[in-house]
Amino acid sequence: MQFMLLFSRQGKLRLQKWYVPLSDKERKKISRDLVQTILARKPKMCSFLEWRDLKIVYKRYASLYFCCAVEDQDNELITLEIIHRYVELLDKYFGSVCELDIIFNFEKAYFILDEFLLGGEAQETSKKNVLKAIEQADLLQEVRLLV
Amino acid sequence: MPAVSKGDGMRGLAVFISDIRNCKSKEAEIKRINKELANIRSKFKGDKALDGYSKKKYVCKLLFIFLLGHDIDFGHMEAVNLLSSNKYTEKQIGYLFISVLVNSNSELIRLINNAIKNDLSSRNPTFMCLALHCIANVGSREMAEAFAGEIPRILVAGDTMDSVKQSAALCLLRLYKASPDLVLMGEWTSRVVHLLNDQHMGVVTAAISLITCLSSKNPDEFKTCVSLAVSRLSRIVSSASTDLQDYTYYFVPAPWLSCKLLRLLQCYPPPEDGAVKGRLVECLETILNKAQEPPKSKKVQHSNAKNAILFEAISLIIHYDSEPNLLVRACNQLGQFLQHRETNLRYLALESMCTLASSEFSHEAVKTHIETVINALKTERDVSVRQRAADLLYAMCDRSNAKQIVAEMLSYLETADYSIREEMVLKVAILAEKYAVDYSWYVDTILNLIRIAGDYVSEEVWYRVIQIVINRDDVQGYAAKTVFEALQAPACHENMVKVGGYILGEFGNLIAGDPRSSPLVQFNLLHSKFHLCSVPTRALLLSAYIKFINLFPETKATIQEVLRSDSQIRNSDVELQQRAVEYLKLSSIASTDVLATVLEEMPPFPERESSILAKLKKKKGPGAVTVELEDGKERGELNGGGDRGGDAAIAASNASTPSPSADLLGLRSTAPVSGTTPSAGSLLVDVFSEAGPSATSAGVNDDGFLSSAPPTVASEDPAPPLPESDELLNKFVCKNNGVLFENQLLQIGIKSEYRQNLGRMYLFYGNKTSVQFVSFNTTVSCPGELQSQLNVQTKTVEPLVEGGAQVQQVINIECLTDFIDAPLLNIKFRYGGALQNISLKLPVTINKFFQPTEMAAADFFQRWKQLSQPQQEAQKIFKASHGMDTEVLKAKLLGLGTALLENVDPNPENYVCAGVIQTKAQQVGCLLRLEPNAQAQMYRLTLRSSKDTVSQRVCDLLAEQF
């Protein structure tokens, strides 16, 4: 996977994760173009589209669009389920996740993503294991470490 | 579950975010942000040391501001400080900030790397993971330098926790992708492969991404992964849906891992070990079977996960392209999906079928779905799905269904989305050309294209139709008639006017007999469009007019009147004005004969790759064009065949005096004479734009030139090469010795040897008569470009050859760089007073400089994959012109100079070869695959090399050998 974007129906970026080196300017341009392209699409349309030399896989959950860019040989359907699994993880962690949770706890959304995907590839697909890792980290929160 | 913002809740952050959200305008937001930035700056600069919590909070705010899209130019140091905090959350925020906002400030990188190093050696798995995540997120070269050695150790160490292994594997993957040179293979590589056997599914899932990437780059080193992957896959596929516990996703066991295993296998050819292969085929069959079972859940996630595996399995089946049974089953399965109610599945089925269409085993099966695909093109509501349908129609098109498909694509064009029109036009044009059985159909199709989607018909397309009409005299009358009719429409596209102008200017005479299309009617029709056209089209029309004056002397007065009018002769556009002046002058001072010569019908265009195809290749990546490349042969036929066209021209120029127009209008000089004109650029462009008119004007302005008698070729000049010289050349592609030429007087024998980029050739000239040859003289020349590509040296021969005697000549050849044309050998002598003048092509072809290369199957496939860009490949499908005897084929392939590789191609009927072409400038590695189809008496020949011209040339040469 080359990158993942979360954005609202108003086109506001809520989370962006880049797995390939790109300049800030390129990232902004890509996000702008893609957000525009996807928002222009109608609800019943296919979840995949060709975009430049990438395949875009996206899905809307309530007010949020989840959008992944994968390479030519990557599998679209499994990418769609990557998105779903991530949504499940957020949902479980926040308890019925909504856009506001992601706005106010954006750092958590990033931490959960890092446990699930790393370098653009699935690191751990078990929901239990990912949440266990996050829980453990949360337990460490206020523990003063003796280093 | 730890609810939101428990414990570490940063109230200040939440307040700030609320503030931003409450801002009514962009200005207010910016104001609020600037205020906050000023506040944070002053805190960071302040004398009072900040506690960790505040630092964390401010760093987090900066991060938030950055993610809103604002620039952040400070705070990095504070974030780095957080890395060494002894509070986990502070450390975590520090890492997050660094991951998102890397700055290649060398001072900081050193500090960051230091902190990472500490965490990596902390033996605390949570810290190690944080550090690894940071490396994977940043992935910079500096980090690779610092950690590429350490991470493999962590990955394979026996005591590493599973979660750390997972992070380490993907971290290493990221570093390898970014800086492959820094990740050194070593003892760890073999142990990494064995992670496929790990008990922990998460570890396997993470590790396989790394293994897949490494395998695709170094297949040999990792080939043991094939059997491991197969057995792992087999265990998953046969497990019950509950066996894998949390790795089961909506009743589908380990879908991610399954997909990745299938993907890994696509880095390799089918397993050689029969047992492994059997097991794999079983897996693939099970996956195909499962697709037919009733779903275990109605949730879309269930079917998506299941179908993800299915599609990946189909990709593998297509990749192997060796199991007809599986290919046909895959095709049937996709056929079902074509009508599925899920748009996503229809999209993917169309996409996947596109690749299936190019496999010989499944091409026919794909074709059976034509109606469904046509229906999709018409009824799908999503343009991206329609695009897939159009792609598939294009891929499944062959001679049997071309008319139907082209007709459907044409009718779709009328309503097609603007975004895909241009590509559709190109595809229609290519299919029409490729599968044209009768040329009137081809002409109709292209004119329809212009009518329906004139704006999207690029120059390449209408140039091409003209090239073809010029080269095929059986279609010229029809083309003239059709274009004349098309021009009757009250509003016709400018491209139609261009084609009309050109074709009527050349072939209007063919329809002039009909009073409804008499010369004057034709002219008036064209001229009625003139004022609506752009300058380039008007220029073209002016050229058509002057051609009319030649074709139809009765129009002269009318046309001269037009040319003389102020709007032409004083046109503010220089080009138009010049044409008007020159054409007017030409028409009034040149005699009919001169006029006829100057304005003679265009000679055939030299054969070249279709400009449309080139354009489509440029537009689309690979894949899109591989299909039609297969039919090079047919395309050749359609263009009237480069060779035949060339030969005809040569014959013509030999028979009569050489075309005087060649010398008058420099632009055509090379085309008809040699037939080997390098196809530089687009000749049509030249004719239409600069070269045409300016060359004409040169002729006109230089009165002496025009009035002087057409020059005649001095008889002492080397004759043009014999018409059969190409054929003679082809005889020597796969052999080095033999008789090159023989007639009643002379026999020329050849012996040659090549080493590296050097060659030596012995020519034996035998006098077959009893009379001596006098003034016997031979020259070897390298025409055009070849001069800089080959270095050829000869010694002169004795000028006297006695009756019955034989003289020998040595030729030394050095190949400087790759080349296409062959050197010309000219022999002149007098026999009984008559001058004999013979030109031949010397059989020096690029393949003579091959060094055979032996390689193992895996190597071959790896290199084959590396050469996957469309221009690196050349392919031809052609009918066998000789028997398909195995031994003969092998001998020819060996004669080509390559190594014939055994046991490489999964299909034992096929041949693969490898060699390196040695030139002084470079070495060009070349891979070859020849697939005979004994039943159809056809071959498919594929060449791949690092140089497009080499692939094409070797492919062309070899295709003539079977």
Side-chain angles (χ1 to χ4, degrees):
Chain A
M1 186 184 297
Q2 299 222 336
F3 56 84
M4 182 192 253
L5 301 175
L6 264 66
F7 53 88
S8 69
R9 278 168 67 190
Q10 289 75 37
K12 277 212 188 295
L13 265 189
R14 295 304 181 202
L15 180 142
Q16 41 178 314
K17 191 81 190 177
W18 304 86
Y19 296 111
V20 284
L22 288 168
S23 74
D24 215 36
K25 211 171 134 198
E26 287 169 302
R27 291 177 179 185
K28 279 186 179 157
K29 179 163 185 347
I30 290 174
S31 320
R32 214 173 31 239
D33 286 3
L34 256 186
V35 167
Q36 223 171 27
T37 309
I38 291 175
L39 287 178
R41 289 173 63 85
K42 296 189 186 75
K44 282 277 172 183
M45 281 186 169
C46 163
S47 307
F48 318 126
L49 54 133
E50 272 186 346
W51 189 78
R52 301 191 187 171
D53 53 346
L54 296 174
K55 296 202 262 195
I56 303 296
V57 177
Y58 74 94
K59 187 163 180 174
R60 188 179 141 183
Y61 288 86
S63 61
L64 268 190
Y65 283 87
F66 289 68
C67 160
C68 296
V70 295
E71 279 145 71
D72 190 46
Q73 72 274 16
D74 288 330
N75 187 313
E76 290 101 333
L77 285 174
I78 209 72
T79 310
L80 205 52
E81 294 319 299
I82 290 246
I83 292 178
H84 187 74
R85 171 106 308 172
Y86 182 47
V87 173
E88 285 183 346
L89 288 167
L90 292 172
D91 197 63
K92 195 91 182 179
Y93 182 79
F94 288 111
S96 294
V97 68
C98 68
E99 191 183 342
L100 278 181
D101 292 324
I102 295 172
I103 296 173
F104 281 92
N105 303 282
F106 65 94
E107 77 282 11
K108 291 280 188 245
Y110 279 95
F111 296 148
I112 295 170
L113 189 56
D114 272 353
E115 290 294 338
F116 176 43
L117 298 180
L118 195 60
E121 299 287 339
Q123 173 174 222
E124 177 54 86
T125 59
S126 152
K127 193 155 63 172
K128 271 189 202 142
N129 289 354
V130 173
L131 290 170
K132 205 161 71 191
I134 297 287
E135 258 175 75
Q136 268 170 0
D138 278 339
L139 287 177
L140 281 175
Q141 270 175 14
E142 292 309 310
V143 178
R144 196 168 267 279
L145 297 154
L146 305 167
V147 183
Chain B
M1 199 47 44
V4 186
S5 306
K6 233 194 236 166
D8 69 328
M10 290 173 275
R11 224 186 104 69
L13 176 67
V15 169
F16 173 60
I17 295 176
S18 297
D19 282 1
I20 296 287
R21 288 180 50 78
N22 290 334
C23 285
K24 294 279 185 292
S25 66
K26 194 80 194 157
E27 290 73 35
E29 181 184 310
I30 291 171
K31 212 172 142 201
R32 177 69 185 86
I33 284 169
N34 285 336
K35 188 180 148 204
E36 193 62 37
L37 286 176
N39 171 40
I40 299 173
R41 210 178 251 122
S42 73
K43 293 284 195 232
F44 283 170
K45 276 197 189 145
D47 309 327
K48 217 172 75 191
L50 286 177
D51 59 20
Y53 171 80
S54 314
K55 235 186 256 175
K56 176 180 86 170
K57 184 180 72 185
Y58 293 131
V59 165
C60 218
K61 280 183 182 176
L62 287 179
L63 196 51
F64 182 78
I65 295 170
F66 176 78
L67 291 171
L68 279 180
H70 301 269
D71 292 332
I72 296 294
D73 54 6
F74 68 105
H76 301 81
M77 196 38 130
E78 285 72 16
V80 174
N81 287 341
L82 287 178
L83 294 185
S84 40
S85 161
N86 53 9
K87 278 197 181 160
Y88 178 76
T89 50
E90 289 167 17
K91 193 189 262 302
Q92 202 183 19
I93 295 292
Y95 271 126
L96 180 61
F97 185 93
I98 301 297
S99 302
V100 175
L101 266 141
V102 248
N103 189 312
S104 51
N105 182 322
S106 60
E107 193 59 21
L108 279 179
I109 284 290
R110 206 173 44 79
L111 290 172
I112 295 167
N113 283 353
N114 231 351
I116 292 177
K117 204 164 277 165
N118 286 337
D119 283 332
L120 281 185
S121 51
S122 70
R123 307 187 67 80
N124 174 327
T126 317
F127 284 16
M128 289 173 85
C129 282
L130 264 188
L132 289 168
H133 292 178
C134 180
I135 301 173
N137 282 327
V138 176
S140 67
R141 202 163 167 87
E142 290 88 350
M143 287 199 175
E145 276 163 4
F147 302 110
E150 173 71 10
I151 295 172
R153 262 201 302 275
I154 298 177
L155 177 59
V156 296
D159 57 348
T160 306
M161 299 269 293
D162 289 332
S163 62
V164 178
K165 270 189 198 163
Q166 288 167 275
S167 299
L170 294 174
C171 186
L172 192 55
L173 171 63
R174 174 77 196 258
L175 293 185
Y176 182 75
K177 279 185 185 166
S179 322
D181 53 314
L182 294 178
V183 179
L184 304 174
M185 303 296 132
E187 186 250 342
W188 61 274
T189 39
S190 58
R191 300 177 63 183
V192 161
V193 175
H194 284 275
L195 289 176
L196 287 176
N197 262 340
D198 203 283
Q199 288 189 330
H200 191 286
M201 294 282 273
V203 171
V204 192
T205 308
I208 193 170
S209 295
L210 173 67
I211 294 167
T212 305
C213 179
L214 292 172
S215 299
S216 66
K217 300 272 161 42
N218 329 274
D220 263 353
E221 259 176 278
F222 289 86
K223 62 176 174 238
T224 47
C225 71
V226 172
S227 59
L228 291 176
V230 170
S231 60
R232 189 95 215 190
L233 180 68
S234 161
R235 269 180 281 158
I236 297 174
V237 168
S238 56
S239 65
S241 54
T242 49
D243 287 356
L244 302 175
Q245 295 161 357
D246 209 36
Y247 289 92
T248 294
Y249 180 82
Y250 292 87
F251 303 102
V252 182
W256 284 280
L257 183 52
S258 305
C259 285
K260 286 184 174 198
L261 285 163
L262 288 161
R263 174 92 201 90
L264 170 61
L265 291 170
Q266 289 171 59
C267 298
Y268 291 91
E272 283 155 22
D273 181 327
V276 178
K277 187 169 180 194
R279 208 163 171 199
L280 177 56
V281 168
E282 214 170 275
C283 286
L284 295 172
E285 279 170 347
T286 312
I287 294 171
L288 285 166
N289 291 341
K290 279 189 180 173
Q292 299 301 326
E293 290 169 11
K296 294 195 174 71
S297 154
K298 283 207 172 98
K299 288 250 167 64
V300 68
Q301 283 75 27
H302 170 71
S303 70
N304 278 352
K306 193 166 128 183
N307 291 327
I309 299 171
L310 178 61
F311 275 104
E312 205 60 63
I314 292 176
S315 293
L316 182 62
I317 292 170
I318 297 174
H319 167 77
Y320 286 163
D321 196 13
S322 60
E323 300 283 332
N325 174 36
L326 289 177
L327 280 162
V328 170
R329 282 193 67 185
C331 184
N332 292 341
Q333 182 59 55
L334 294 176
Q336 286 183 18
F337 285 153
L338 285 182
Q339 315 215 37
H340 204 278
R341 60 189 164 75
E342 277 268 331
T343 315
N344 288 347
L345 284 180
R346 295 197 303 275
Y347 177 97
L348 294 175
L350 289 165
E351 180 183 68
S352 196
M353 258 201 187
C354 240
T355 40
L356 263 183
S358 54
S359 162
E360 54 174 321
F361 300 116
S362 47
H363 183 77
E364 288 303 316
V366 170
K367 270 166 63 185
T368 60
H369 299 287
I370 183 166
E371 297 302 333
T372 319
V373 182
I374 288 173
N375 197 41
L377 187 66
K378 287 179 175 163
T379 57
E380 284 290 349
R381 290 199 303 201
D382 184 346
V383 58
S384 42
V385 187
R386 291 197 297 270
Q387 172 78 59
R388 288 282 147 277
D391 286 350
L392 177 53
L393 280 180
Y394 180 72
M396 66 162 72
C397 191
D398 63 18
R399 209 166 277 279
S400 72
N401 55 21
K403 283 204 174 178
Q404 187 187 10
I405 286 180
V406 166
E408 291 296 346
M409 285 172 107
L410 268 177
S411 77
Y412 172 60
L413 247 182
E414 305 209 29
T415 53
D417 202 85
Y418 293 110
S419 59
I420 66 172
R421 279 195 188 185
E422 190 184 352
E423 201 184 312
M424 290 284 294
V425 166
L426 289 175
K427 288 186 165 167
V428 170
I430 288 167
L431 292 179
E433 178 182 337
K434 197 168 122 186
Y435 298 115
V437 196
D438 67 277
Y439 293 91
S440 47
W441 174 71
Y442 170 74
V443 170
D444 283 341
T445 305
I446 301 297
L447 294 185
N448 264 329
L449 262 187
I450 297 176
R451 210 174 5 235
I452 295 168
D455 281 344
Y456 298 90
V457 173
S458 55
E459 291 185 327
E460 288 84 353
V461 173
W462 71 263
Y463 288 174
R464 192 70 183 159
V465 70
I466 285 174
Q467 282 177 7
I468 286 171
V469 170
I470 301 255
N471 285 9
R472 304 279 318 189
D473 43 16
D474 53 343
V475 75
Q476 289 160 354
Y478 182 81
K481 178 170 161 284
T482 320
V483 81
F484 176 79
E485 280 161 11
L487 285 172
Q488 306 284 342
C492 66
H493 196 273
E494 193 167 329
N495 281 336
M496 189 69 88
V497 180
K498 289 178 183 161
V499 175
Y502 199 102
I503 289 184
L504 292 180
E506 293 291 328
F507 309 114
N509 53 327
L510 299 177
I511 55 167
D514 188 328
R516 286 168 299 179
S517 52
S518 72
L520 218 51
V521 174
Q522 287 185 38
F523 170 73
N524 286 333
L525 180 61
L526 279 181
H527 198 53
S528 69
K529 316 283 181 195
F530 188 91
H531 304 280
L532 301 168
C533 292
S534 63
V535 169
T537 308
R538 289 187 193 191
L540 185 151
L541 285 176
L542 289 179
S543 298
Y545 296 171
I546 186 73
K547 288 234 162 187
F548 265 46
I549 293 185
N550 175 45
L551 288 179
F552 316 119
E554 65 265 40
T555 59
K556 184 168 169 177
T558 317
I559 291 175
Q560 281 184 333
E561 192 61 32
V562 168
L563 292 175
R564 202 178 289 124
S565 72
D566 278 357
S567 61
Q568 308 298 351
I569 213 157
R570 292 184 202 280
N571 195 294
S572 59
D573 185 272
V574 173
E575 178 65 37
L576 292 180
Q577 188 188 98
Q578 191 177 357
R579 285 195 191 208
V581 171
E582 287 171 0
Y583 291 159
L584 184 60
K585 195 78 179 158
L586 181 67
S587 69
S588 42
I589 61 166
S591 70
T592 352
D593 284 354
V594 172
L595 213 54
T597 310
V598 173
L599 301 169
E600 202 192 26
E601 190 181 301
M602 290 298 288
F605 286 90
E607 173 50 17
R608 61 166 76 96
E609 184 189 26
S610 161
S611 46
I612 319 175
L613 203 55
K615 169 133 183 166
L616 186 69
K617 270 194 221 168
K618 216 163 63 185
K619 238 183 119 58
K620 279 251 147 177
V625 281
T626 46
V627 185
E628 73 277 3
L629 281 174
E630 291 171 6
D631 274 4
K633 184 91 172 189
E634 281 156 346
R635 201 166 59 238
E637 279 165 21
L638 190 140
N639 286 318
D643 289 342
R644 266 182 291 143
D647 289 351
I650 294 161
S653 67
N654 282 350
S656 59
T657 47
S659 162
S661 67
D663 296 307
L664 266 181
L665 298 175
L667 71 152
R668 306 182 201 165
S669 54
T670 52
V673 182
S674 71
T676 54
T677 320
S679 39
S682 167
L683 194 60
L684 260 167
V685 184
D686 301 342
V687 174
F688 284 152
S689 52
E690 283 84 31
S694 59
T696 313
S697 66
V700 174
N701 294 339
D702 183 351
D703 280 356
F705 215 143
L706 254 189
S707 52
S708 72
T712 50
V713 169
S715 54
E716 292 282 345
D717 281 353
L722 293 175
E724 67 268 27
S725 58
D726 275 319
E727 215 177 293
L728 297 174
L729 179 85
N730 282 332
K731 268 174 46 189
F732 283 86
V733 168
C734 295
K735 63 176 185 178
N736 287 334
N737 308 326
V739 174
L740 174 64
F741 172 78
E742 186 159 25
N743 65 9
Q744 289 180 329
L745 308 176
L746 175 73
Q747 185 194 53
I748 306 176
I750 282 196
K751 262 187 159 174
S752 47
E753 53 197 22
Y754 292 87
R755 181 174 298 163
Q756 304 281 356
N757 69 324
L758 302 175
R760 176 168 296 164
M761 186 180 272
Y762 300 88
L763 291 174
F764 303 93
Y765 303 97
N767 182 343
K768 289 172 67 184
T769 70
S770 51
V771 184
Q772 61 175 202
F773 296 159
V774 293
S775 310
F776 191 85
N777 178 35
T778 67
T779 49
V780 176
S781 61
C782 292
E785 266 188 292
L786 194 59
Q787 227 166 5
S788 57
Q789 297 165 337
L790 275 188
N791 193 354
V792 181
Q793 287 174 341
T794 52
K795 295 207 177 97
T796 47
V797 284
E798 287 296 318
L800 264 186
V801 185
E802 293 296 340
Q806 191 183 58
V807 293
Q808 182 189 333
Q809 182 178 30
V810 183
I811 300 175
N812 288 315
I813 304 150
E814 183 188 15
C815 176
L816 303 174
T817 178
D818 67 295
F819 60 96
I820 291 172
D821 290 339
L824 296 179
L825 170 68
N826 177 253
I827 304 121
K828 275 201 293 279
F829 60 94
R830 287 187 183 270
Y831 168 71
L835 176 73
Q836 306 293 323
N837 186 348
I838 301 163
S839 285
L840 295 166
K841 291 191 176 176
L842 212 52
V844 180
T845 45
I846 184 69
N847 63 293
K848 299 293 177 194
F849 302 95
F850 259 131
Q851 291 272 103
T853 316
E854 293 290 347
M855 58 175 81
D859 271 335
F860 182 88
F861 282 100
Q862 183 201 356
R863 287 180 205 191
W864 185 262
K865 276 212 176 118
Q866 283 166 351
L867 298 169
S868 60
Q869 287 173 32
Q871 66 271 22
Q872 293 174 327
E873 180 182 277
Q875 191 171 68
K876 282 197 170 186
I877 293 187
F878 51 89
K879 263 220 134 26
S881 21
H882 308 283
M884 296 180 88
D885 182 72
T886 317
E887 290 313 310
V888 176
L889 287 182
K890 282 187 178 169
K892 282 185 175 169
L893 288 169
L894 287 171
L896 183 74
T898 49
L900 183 60
L901 306 179
E902 304 281 2
N903 303 324
V904 169
D905 200 293
N907 179 350
E909 303 297 323
N910 295 344
Y911 301 90
V912 295
C913 302
V916 176
I917 290 179
Q918 307 275 345
T919 76
K920 193 179 178 192
Q922 64 183 131
Q923 303 192 332
V924 184
C926 215
L927 302 176
L928 176 159
R929 188 179 195 202
L930 180 70
E931 299 161 84
N933 180 339
Q935 206 174 4
Q937 288 286 303
M938 299 280 287
Y939 290 101
R940 175 158 72 183
L941 172 65
T942 315
L943 258 296
R944 288 190 177 183
S945 81
S946 48
K947 222 168 158 192
D948 51 350
T949 46
V950 171
S951 305
Q952 195 56 53
R953 182 57 181 161
V954 178
C955 187
D956 291 346
L957 285 171
L958 198 57
E960 298 297 327
Q961 302 302 317
F962 304 105

